[in-house]
Amino acid sequence: QVQLVESGGGLVQAGGSLKLTCAASGRPFSSYTMGWFRQTPGKEREFVSALTWNGGKTHYADSVKGRFTISRDNAKNTVYLQMDSLTPEDTAVYYCAADFPGHQLPVESAEYDYWGQGTQVTVSS
């Protein structure tokens, strides 16, 4: 079992930045691929970014490429999502997720084994 807790969401103006944090506990964190997804009301959960167990490989959705950066600190059991140049279209609940084993970069939410409770990000125009 892995428990995931997101933090760092909030309200920001367009063009601003936020850094989301996901703290993990339970099974060895370094065994997992970690991903970020987001969801708005009435829509399916959307892939944002993922990185492998050691951060050696990353993948981003086209909509966030060049603006968002995913990273992890296995010593702190934490994964981050730095979000820059935010737009109102980035408004959503953001979720972190863990997938075992940690060698792949799945983009489908069904591939992930564990989920956090989500943190709201709101970007005002």
Side-chain angles (χ1 to χ4, degrees):
Q1 283 281 5
V2 174
Q3 292 78 42
L4 304 172
V5 179
E6 303 96 334
S7 61
L11 175 64
V12 64
Q13 287 188 332
S17 298
L18 280 175
K19 187 173 185 177
L20 303 184
T21 299
C22 175
S25 60
R27 291 185 65 179
F29 177 72
S30 60
S31 302
Y32 290 83
T33 283
M34 297 301 297
W36 286 96
F37 286 74
R38 64 188 182 187
Q39 189 170 24
T40 54
K43 293 189 177 181
E44 292 190 357
R45 202 162 288 189
E46 173 191 24
F47 172 79
V48 174
S49 183
L51 79 171
T52 50
W53 69 276
N54 62 352
K57 295 181 181 179
T58 60
H59 184 53
Y60 295 91
D62 288 342
S63 59
V64 306
K65 200 171 294 182
R67 301 188 298 120
F68 290 11
T69 304
I70 191 170
S71 61
R72 68 190 295 163
D73 184 340
N74 286 347
K76 295 182 178 180
N77 288 356
T78 303
V79 62
Y80 306 97
L81 185 68
Q82 177 67 45
M83 305 186 296
D84 299 318
S85 302
L86 286 162
T87 73
E89 289 69 36
D90 295 315
T91 295
V93 177
Y94 283 71
Y95 299 89
C96 72
D99 173 56
F100 182 82
H103 303 287
Q104 306 297 320
L105 292 168
V107 300
E108 296 294 333
S109 59
E111 298 289 332
Y112 287 79
D113 304 301
Y114 302 101
W115 292 85
Q117 83 289 349
T119 186
Q120 176 70 48
V121 171
T122 303
V123 184
S124 63
S125 57

